[in-house]
Amino acid sequence: MAVPKRKMSRSNTRHRRAQWKGVTPTLVPVTIDGTSHLVPQRLVKAYERGLLTPEG
């Protein structure tokens, strides 16, 4: 496991953290019970298997 040799300054820590950006999930159309729903791509198999049900 990597361990820092020196303490990172507060300024550097905050500049590093500020670079992180959330990304909206890509939505994919899936047909469930004859109706089409837009669901996140990584959850398509769960919807197809019936593990998740679309809200609405």
Side-chain angles (χ1 to χ4, degrees):
M1 185 169 114
V3 178
K5 198 162 195 166
R6 302 232 184 269
K7 181 177 180 179
M8 185 178 257
S9 71
R10 180 179 290 177
S11 176
N12 283 345
T13 300
R14 290 182 176 166
H15 279 279
R16 188 191 69 243
R17 288 181 181 166
Q19 298 302 314
W20 184 88
K21 291 179 179 55
V23 179
T24 56
T26 56
L27 298 179
V28 179
V30 175
T31 304
I32 302 167
D33 296 331
T35 58
S36 181
H37 299 279
L38 289 175
V39 297
Q41 186 175 4
R42 66 188 202 94
L43 297 176
V44 170
K45 287 190 178 184
Y47 280 101
E48 289 174 349
R49 293 176 183 168
L51 300 173
L52 296 173
T53 57
E55 304 298 325

